[in-house]
């Protein structure tokens, strides 16, 4: 478990660290369990299933991506469809 003695600053650092593609879902879950503020998983998604994975295997409050959409690797509608099919709320 990761500890954040100075939560706001540490959480910002943790979010920055999430930008690195080497981190696993376990790392994301550890960050979420170490803070009391919302955590947004950022970067690393390469498929619609990756969004399902981050929500089903961690307790993050949100997830975001940009590159896969800008590069047209995965359409936004596909991600929404896959999340909804998995029973994950989508806005």
């Amino acid at each position: 478990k990761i500890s954040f003695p100075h939560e706001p600053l540490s959480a910002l650092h943790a979010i920055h660290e999430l930008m690195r593609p080497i981190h696993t879902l376990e790392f994301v879950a550890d960050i979420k369990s170490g803070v009391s503020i919302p955590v947004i998983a950022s970067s690393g998604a390469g498929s619609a299933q990756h969004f399902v994975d981050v929500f089903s295997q961690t307790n993050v409050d949100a997830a975001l991506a940009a590159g896969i959409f800008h590069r047209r690797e995965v359409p936004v509608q596909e991600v929404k469809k896959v999340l909804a099919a998995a029973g994950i709320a989508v806005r």
Side-chain angles (χ1 to χ4, degrees):
K1 183 174 178 176
I2 298 173
S3 174
F4 297 97
H6 304 289
E7 190 169 282
L9 181 59
S10 296
L12 178 61
H13 177 72
I15 290 168
H16 172 73
E17 289 297 307
L18 286 174
M19 303 292 286
R20 298 181 184 185
I22 59 170
H23 297 306
T24 64
L25 292 173
E26 181 180 0
F27 178 78
V28 175
D30 284 347
I31 289 186
K32 177 59 181 169
S33 70
V35 298
S36 61
I37 59 175
V39 172
I40 301 170
S42 175
S43 198
S47 71
Q49 183 61 44
H50 289 158
F51 287 90
V52 173
D53 294 346
V54 77
F55 285 114
S56 63
Q57 297 178 36
T58 74
N59 196 23
V60 295
D61 300 282
L64 66 89
I68 64 171
F69 303 131
H70 292 301
R71 292 185 300 273
R72 297 183 179 161
E73 296 171 10
V74 180
V76 173
Q77 287 308 112
E78 179 182 341
V79 172
K80 289 183 174 188
K81 178 182 164 186
V82 170
L83 285 168
I88 299 167
V90 179
R91 296 192 325 186

